[in-house]
């Protein structure tokens, strides 16, 4: 299979490129090397086309003879503040729209799209009295008072988190999340209009080698590791008990390869996760211990747009793709303490 891989020099894209090559596929790698993620051309790239998915003519040319597109190019992470919105929308949404238009012109009908757990907003919650409920956004007064857990919007009682499945409503609560939802909607519309087929892989908290260092455009694991590398304690917001699913980048790459190798009809979203939830505080503690650095500091507070718990069901990926994560939390975090990061 000949695959156009966007974002090929990036954290996840570079691992996908390696796994595709190992399985005998031909990769056409393209990346615009945004400074938010790259300080130069990474040493692990080869035959890289430096270009932007917003360049219609370039994309149309690269798509000749291509069987499928694996679209990883995006600005990710929490960013700085709402002033980042044009950067996110330009690269994530306009870039995706141009790519889809070029795919239509080139007659390429298969897309694997890098989506994210952030499309869900808060995860799934269950009230003992009212069953499944959807808490509203947390308010600053509660966060400032150290009240981090959502409550039932009907009775106000406490709720318990539960595994979220792919049919959950989409409820983006940050600029980045809004652009990922828009990417999914663009891809879904393209699939209907052009007779295309899309796997939308909703990554949960990805970590591993080649994460970008010292940047707000990266996941929490990178922020913790960057702090340790500077000789500082990882800073954990809230009380550290917020739950996530941390999935290793090699497993995410495997999910992409399986999606490329499996047929799909229309638009199909899939959670890509480990199936083994852990708290953010646990990640910080285990990483600091493995690194031999200072223990994490629990500082309270929360960033605007942060959610409390988001833990995925791995059942869809197992059933549809035959995907199961191979790297356990303890093994992966221990390795991540010494894995190379990208400057």
């Amino acid at each position: 299979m000949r695959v156009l891989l966007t974002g090929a020099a990036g954290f996840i894209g570079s691992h996908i490129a390696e796994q595709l090559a190992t399985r005998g596929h031909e990769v056409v790698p393209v990346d615009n090397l945004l400074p938010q993620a790259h300080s130069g051309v990474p040493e692990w790239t080869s035959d890289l086309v430096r270009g932007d998915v917003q360049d219609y003519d370039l994309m149309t040319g690269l798509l000749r003879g291509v069987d499928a597109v694996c679209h990883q190019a995006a600005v990710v992470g929490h960013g700085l503040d709402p002033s980042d919105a044009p950067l996110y929308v330009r690269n994530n949404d306009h870039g995706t729209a141009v790519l889809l238009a070029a795919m239509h012109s080139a007659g390429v009908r298969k897309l694997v799209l890098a989506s994210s757990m952030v499309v869900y907003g808060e995860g799934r919650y269950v009230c003992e009295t009212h069953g499944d409920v959807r808490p509203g956004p947390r308010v600053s007064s509660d966060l400032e008072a150290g009240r981090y857990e959502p409550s039932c919007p009907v009775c106000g009682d406490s709720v318990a988190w539960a595994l979220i499945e792919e049919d959950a409503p989409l409820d983006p609560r940050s600029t980045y999340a809004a652009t990922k939802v828009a990417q999914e909607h663009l891809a879904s519309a393209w699939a209907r209009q052009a007779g295309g087929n899309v796997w939308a892989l909703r990554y949960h908290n990805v970590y591993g080698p080649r994460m970008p260092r010292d940047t707000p455009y990266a996941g929490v694991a990178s922020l913790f590791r960057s702090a340790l590398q500077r000789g500082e304690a990882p800073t954990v917001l809230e009380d550290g008990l917020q739950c996530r699913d941390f999935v290793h980048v090699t497993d995410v790459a495997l999910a992409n390869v399986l999606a490329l190798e499996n047929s799909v009809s229309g638009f199909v979203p899939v959670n890509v996760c480990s199936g083994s939830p852990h708290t953010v505080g646990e990640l910080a503690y285990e990483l600091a211990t493995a690194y031999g650095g200072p223990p994490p500091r629990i500082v309270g507070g929360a960033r605007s747009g942060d959610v409390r718990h988001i833990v995925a069901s791995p059942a869809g990926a197992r059933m549809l793709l035959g995907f199961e994560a191979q790297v356990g939390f303890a093994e992966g975090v221990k390795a991540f303490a010494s894995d190379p990061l990208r400057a």
Side-chain angles (χ1 to χ4, degrees):
M1 184 189 309
R2 183 176 169 86
V3 178
L4 176 64
L5 174 61
T6 73
F11 167 43
I12 296 173
S14 64
H15 288 275
I16 295 172
E18 289 177 355
Q19 290 202 27
L20 283 171
T22 297
R23 294 167 80 110
H25 300 296
E26 182 183 356
V27 180
V28 181
V30 60
D31 201 301
N32 67 350
L33 301 178
L34 274 176
Q36 286 80 7
H38 300 277
S39 60
V41 180
E43 67 274 11
W44 53 80
T45 59
S46 61
D47 302 320
L48 180 72
V49 177
R50 184 164 185 176
D52 199 312
V53 294
Q54 298 176 74
D55 185 335
Y56 177 82
D57 291 337
L58 174 65
M59 290 299 105
T60 303
L62 293 176
L63 283 163
R64 293 192 188 102
V66 161
D67 300 299
V69 173
C70 187
H71 184 31
Q72 306 297 313
V75 178
V76 301
H78 202 85
L80 298 174
D81 55 46
S83 65
D84 280 331
L87 173 72
Y88 278 102
V89 172
R90 185 169 57 250
N91 286 280
N92 298 2
D93 299 337
H94 182 253
T96 297
V98 172
L99 175 63
L100 292 170
M103 289 177 66
H104 176 63
S105 296
V108 180
R109 294 289 178 261
K110 183 165 187 179
L111 173 68
V112 176
L113 173 68
S115 188
S116 171
M117 65 174 192
V118 297
V119 300
Y120 298 121
E122 281 286 354
R124 179 183 167 206
Y125 293 89
V126 178
C127 172
E128 285 190 0
T129 304
H130 297 101
D132 276 17
V133 293
R134 295 182 63 200
R138 298 183 297 172
V139 297
S140 57
S141 58
D142 282 341
L143 298 176
E144 290 166 4
R147 294 188 293 268
Y148 303 118
E149 293 290 343
S151 58
C152 175
V154 181
C155 65
D157 285 351
S158 61
V159 292
W161 64 260
L163 298 180
I164 197 162
E165 298 181 344
E166 288 84 355
D167 60 355
L170 306 186
D171 186 18
R173 299 193 178 184
S174 69
T175 299
Y176 170 57
T179 64
K180 299 311 285 186
V181 170
Q183 281 186 299
E184 287 200 9
H185 286 168
L186 287 166
S188 179
W190 170 82
R192 288 192 298 271
Q193 294 172 313
N197 301 296
V198 182
W199 291 107
L201 303 185
R202 292 174 178 166
Y203 304 157
H204 285 252
N205 285 73
V206 189
Y207 72 99
R210 303 175 189 165
M211 291 192 86
R213 187 177 72 228
D214 294 321
T215 171
Y217 302 96
V220 66
S222 175
L223 299 179
F224 291 163
R225 171 66 193 281
S226 296
L228 289 165
Q229 205 158 323
R230 294 191 303 268
E232 302 170 4
T235 299
V236 181
L237 299 180
E238 303 186 24
D239 55 6
L241 298 180
Q242 54 271 45
C243 279
R244 299 289 189 271
D245 187 304
F246 299 100
V247 57
H248 197 267
V249 66
T250 57
D251 284 325
V252 173
L254 174 61
N256 276 272
V257 173
L258 291 173
L260 288 162
E261 293 177 345
N262 279 271
S263 61
V264 64
S265 180
F267 177 89
V268 179
V270 177
N271 287 323
V272 176
C273 59
S274 73
S276 177
H278 294 270
T279 69
V280 173
E282 186 179 357
L283 171 69
Y285 176 80
E286 295 297 334
L287 184 58
T289 300
Y291 190 86
R297 294 187 302 115
I298 310 296
V299 299
R303 298 175 301 184
S304 172
D306 275 349
V307 299
R308 180 59 174 173
H309 304 296
I310 175 71
V311 179
S313 168
R318 186 184 308 117
M319 178 179 67
L320 297 173
L321 292 176
F323 168 76
E324 291 191 66
Q326 304 298 304
V327 181
F329 179 78
E331 171 194 357
V333 172
K334 183 177 180 180
F336 184 57
S338 57
D339 279 336
L341 299 184
R342 185 167 73 247

Short mmCIF file of all heavy atoms in Angstrom, two decimals, residues 19-49:
data_model
loop_
_atom_site.label_atom_id
_atom_site.label_comp_id
_atom_site.label_asym_id
_atom_site.label_seq_id
_atom_site.Cartn_x
_atom_site.Cartn_y
_atom_site.Cartn_z
N GLN A 19 6.48 1.96 11.50
CA GLN A 19 5.71 0.71 11.50
C GLN A 19 5.17 0.38 10.12
O GLN A 19 5.11 -0.79 9.73
CB GLN A 19 4.59 0.78 12.54
CG GLN A 19 5.08 0.77 13.97
CD GLN A 19 4.03 0.31 14.96
OE1 GLN A 19 3.11 -0.44 14.63
NE2 GLN A 19 4.16 0.75 16.20
N LEU A 20 4.77 1.39 9.36
CA LEU A 20 4.32 1.13 7.99
C LEU A 20 5.44 0.54 7.15
O LEU A 20 5.24 -0.44 6.40
CB LEU A 20 3.82 2.42 7.35
CG LEU A 20 2.43 2.91 7.77
CD1 LEU A 20 2.17 4.31 7.22
CD2 LEU A 20 1.34 1.94 7.28
N ALA A 21 6.64 1.11 7.26
CA ALA A 21 7.77 0.61 6.49
C ALA A 21 8.12 -0.81 6.89
O ALA A 21 8.42 -1.66 6.03
CB ALA A 21 8.97 1.53 6.67
N THR A 22 8.05 -1.08 8.20
CA THR A 22 8.37 -2.43 8.69
C THR A 22 7.41 -3.47 8.11
O THR A 22 7.79 -4.61 7.85
CB THR A 22 8.30 -2.46 10.23
OG1 THR A 22 9.30 -1.57 10.74
CG2 THR A 22 8.54 -3.86 10.77
N ARG A 23 6.16 -3.06 7.88
CA ARG A 23 5.15 -3.99 7.36
C ARG A 23 5.09 -3.98 5.84
O ARG A 23 4.18 -4.56 5.25
CB ARG A 23 3.80 -3.66 7.98
CG ARG A 23 3.77 -3.93 9.47
CD ARG A 23 2.56 -3.32 10.14
NE ARG A 23 1.35 -4.11 9.99
CZ ARG A 23 0.74 -4.78 10.97
NH1 ARG A 23 1.25 -4.77 12.19
NH2 ARG A 23 -0.36 -5.45 10.76
N GLY A 24 6.06 -3.32 5.20
CA GLY A 24 6.17 -3.41 3.76
C GLY A 24 5.39 -2.39 2.97
O GLY A 24 5.28 -2.49 1.74
N HIS A 25 4.85 -1.37 3.64
CA HIS A 25 4.10 -0.34 2.93
C HIS A 25 5.04 0.79 2.49
O HIS A 25 6.07 1.04 3.11
CB HIS A 25 3.00 0.22 3.83
CG HIS A 25 2.01 -0.80 4.28
ND1 HIS A 25 1.19 -1.48 3.41
CD2 HIS A 25 1.72 -1.29 5.54
CE1 HIS A 25 0.43 -2.33 4.09
NE2 HIS A 25 0.74 -2.23 5.38
N GLU A 26 4.64 1.48 1.44
CA GLU A 26 5.41 2.62 0.95
C GLU A 26 4.83 3.90 1.54
O GLU A 26 3.62 4.13 1.47
CB GLU A 26 5.34 2.68 -0.58
CG GLU A 26 6.16 3.82 -1.18
CD GLU A 26 6.03 3.91 -2.70
OE1 GLU A 26 5.36 3.03 -3.29
OE2 GLU A 26 6.60 4.85 -3.27
N VAL A 27 5.69 4.71 2.13
CA VAL A 27 5.25 5.93 2.81
C VAL A 27 5.69 7.16 2.02
O VAL A 27 6.85 7.26 1.61
CB VAL A 27 5.82 6.00 4.24
CG1 VAL A 27 5.35 7.28 4.94
CG2 VAL A 27 5.41 4.77 5.04
N VAL A 28 4.75 8.08 1.80
CA VAL A 28 5.05 9.40 1.25
C VAL A 28 4.94 10.37 2.42
O VAL A 28 3.85 10.77 2.81
CB VAL A 28 4.08 9.78 0.13
CG1 VAL A 28 4.43 11.15 -0.44
CG2 VAL A 28 4.06 8.73 -0.97
N PRO A 29 6.07 10.75 3.04
CA PRO A 29 6.02 11.55 4.26
C PRO A 29 6.06 13.05 3.98
O PRO A 29 6.90 13.53 3.22
CB PRO A 29 7.28 11.12 5.01
CG PRO A 29 8.26 10.77 3.91
CD PRO A 29 7.45 10.32 2.72
N VAL A 30 5.15 13.80 4.61
CA VAL A 30 5.13 15.25 4.44
C VAL A 30 4.92 15.91 5.80
O VAL A 30 4.19 15.40 6.65
CB VAL A 30 4.03 15.68 3.44
CG1 VAL A 30 2.65 15.25 3.91
CG2 VAL A 30 4.07 17.17 3.19
N ASP A 31 5.59 17.03 6.02
CA ASP A 31 5.47 17.76 7.29
C ASP A 31 5.92 19.20 7.03
O ASP A 31 6.89 19.42 6.31
CB ASP A 31 6.35 17.12 8.37
CG ASP A 31 5.92 17.47 9.78
OD1 ASP A 31 5.90 18.68 10.10
OD2 ASP A 31 5.62 16.56 10.56
N ASN A 32 5.24 20.15 7.65
CA ASN A 32 5.67 21.55 7.48
C ASN A 32 6.58 22.02 8.61
O ASN A 32 7.02 23.16 8.62
CB ASN A 32 4.47 22.48 7.33
CG ASN A 32 3.64 22.60 8.59
OD1 ASN A 32 3.83 21.86 9.55
ND2 ASN A 32 2.69 23.53 8.59
N LEU A 33 6.87 21.12 9.56
CA LEU A 33 7.82 21.40 10.64
C LEU A 33 7.48 22.70 11.39
O LEU A 33 8.31 23.60 11.53
CB LEU A 33 9.26 21.45 10.10
CG LEU A 33 9.74 20.17 9.42
CD1 LEU A 33 11.15 20.37 8.87
CD2 LEU A 33 9.70 18.98 10.36
N LEU A 34 6.26 22.78 11.88
CA LEU A 34 5.84 23.95 12.64
C LEU A 34 6.76 24.19 13.83
O LEU A 34 7.13 23.24 14.53
CB LEU A 34 4.41 23.75 13.17
CG LEU A 34 3.25 24.12 12.26
CD1 LEU A 34 1.94 23.75 12.95
CD2 LEU A 34 3.26 25.59 11.92
N PRO A 35 7.12 25.42 14.11
CA PRO A 35 8.03 25.70 15.23
C PRO A 35 7.44 25.36 16.59
O PRO A 35 8.18 25.18 17.55
CB PRO A 35 8.31 27.20 15.10
CG PRO A 35 7.19 27.75 14.28
CD PRO A 35 6.80 26.64 13.34
N GLN A 36 6.10 25.25 16.69
CA GLN A 36 5.50 24.85 17.96
C GLN A 36 5.88 23.42 18.34
O GLN A 36 5.78 23.04 19.52
CB GLN A 36 3.96 24.97 17.89
CG GLN A 36 3.44 26.39 17.93
CD GLN A 36 3.55 27.08 16.58
OE1 GLN A 36 3.89 26.46 15.57
NE2 GLN A 36 3.28 28.37 16.56
N ALA A 37 6.32 22.63 17.38
CA ALA A 37 6.69 21.25 17.65
C ALA A 37 8.10 20.89 17.23
O ALA A 37 8.65 19.89 17.70
CB ALA A 37 5.71 20.30 16.94
N HIS A 38 8.72 21.70 16.38
CA HIS A 38 10.03 21.34 15.82
C HIS A 38 10.99 22.52 15.89
O HIS A 38 10.61 23.65 15.57
CB HIS A 38 9.90 20.93 14.35
CG HIS A 38 9.01 19.75 14.10
ND1 HIS A 38 9.44 18.45 14.23
CD2 HIS A 38 7.70 19.69 13.74
CE1 HIS A 38 8.43 17.64 13.95
NE2 HIS A 38 7.37 18.36 13.65
N SER A 39 12.21 22.24 16.27
CA SER A 39 13.25 23.26 16.19
C SER A 39 14.11 23.09 14.94
O SER A 39 14.98 23.90 14.66
CB SER A 39 14.15 23.19 17.43
OG SER A 39 14.77 21.92 17.52
N GLY A 40 13.87 22.04 14.20
CA GLY A 40 14.60 21.76 12.98
C GLY A 40 14.11 20.45 12.40
O GLY A 40 13.06 19.93 12.79
N VAL A 41 14.85 19.90 11.46
CA VAL A 41 14.47 18.63 10.86
C VAL A 41 14.93 17.50 11.78
O VAL A 41 16.13 17.36 12.04
CB VAL A 41 15.12 18.45 9.47
CG1 VAL A 41 14.70 17.13 8.86
CG2 VAL A 41 14.73 19.61 8.56
N PRO A 42 14.02 16.70 12.32
CA PRO A 42 14.41 15.63 13.24
C PRO A 42 15.32 14.61 12.57
O PRO A 42 15.21 14.35 11.37
CB PRO A 42 13.08 14.99 13.64
CG PRO A 42 12.05 16.03 13.34
CD PRO A 42 12.56 16.77 12.15
N GLU A 43 16.18 14.01 13.37
CA GLU A 43 17.16 13.08 12.80
C GLU A 43 16.53 11.78 12.33
O GLU A 43 17.13 11.03 11.56
CB GLU A 43 18.25 12.77 13.84
CG GLU A 43 17.79 11.99 15.06
CD GLU A 43 17.22 12.87 16.17
OE1 GLU A 43 17.00 14.07 15.91
OE2 GLU A 43 17.00 12.35 17.27
N TRP A 44 15.30 11.49 12.77
CA TRP A 44 14.69 10.21 12.40
C TRP A 44 13.93 10.28 11.07
O TRP A 44 13.36 9.30 10.63
CB TRP A 44 13.73 9.73 13.49
CG TRP A 44 12.70 10.74 13.88
CD1 TRP A 44 11.54 11.04 13.22
CD2 TRP A 44 12.72 11.57 15.04
NE1 TRP A 44 10.85 12.02 13.89
CE2 TRP A 44 11.55 12.36 15.01
CE3 TRP A 44 13.62 11.72 16.10
CZ2 TRP A 44 11.27 13.30 16.01
CZ3 TRP A 44 13.32 12.65 17.08
CH2 TRP A 44 12.16 13.42 17.04
N THR A 45 13.90 11.44 10.42
CA THR A 45 13.17 11.54 9.16
C THR A 45 14.06 11.15 7.99
O THR A 45 15.28 11.31 8.02
CB THR A 45 12.67 12.98 8.93
OG1 THR A 45 13.79 13.88 8.91
CG2 THR A 45 11.71 13.41 10.03
N SER A 46 13.44 10.65 6.95
CA SER A 46 14.16 10.37 5.70
C SER A 46 13.20 10.60 4.55
O SER A 46 12.00 10.29 4.64
CB SER A 46 14.68 8.93 5.68
OG SER A 46 13.62 8.00 5.76
N ASP A 47 13.72 11.16 3.46
CA ASP A 47 12.91 11.43 2.26
C ASP A 47 11.71 12.30 2.58
O ASP A 47 10.65 12.19 1.94
CB ASP A 47 12.46 10.12 1.61
CG ASP A 47 13.62 9.23 1.23
OD1 ASP A 47 14.64 9.77 0.76
OD2 ASP A 47 13.52 8.00 1.43
N LEU A 48 11.83 13.18 3.58
CA LEU A 48 10.70 14.01 3.99
C LEU A 48 10.42 15.11 2.97
O LEU A 48 11.33 15.81 2.54
CB LEU A 48 10.98 14.63 5.36
CG LEU A 48 9.88 15.54 5.93
CD1 LEU A 48 8.70 14.70 6.37
CD2 LEU A 48 10.42 16.37 7.09
N VAL A 49 9.15 15.25 2.61
CA VAL A 49 8.71 16.39 1.81
C VAL A 49 8.32 17.49 2.78
O VAL A 49 7.39 17.32 3.58
CB VAL A 49 7.52 16.03 0.91
CG1 VAL A 49 7.03 17.26 0.14
CG2 VAL A 49 7.89 14.90 -0.04
#
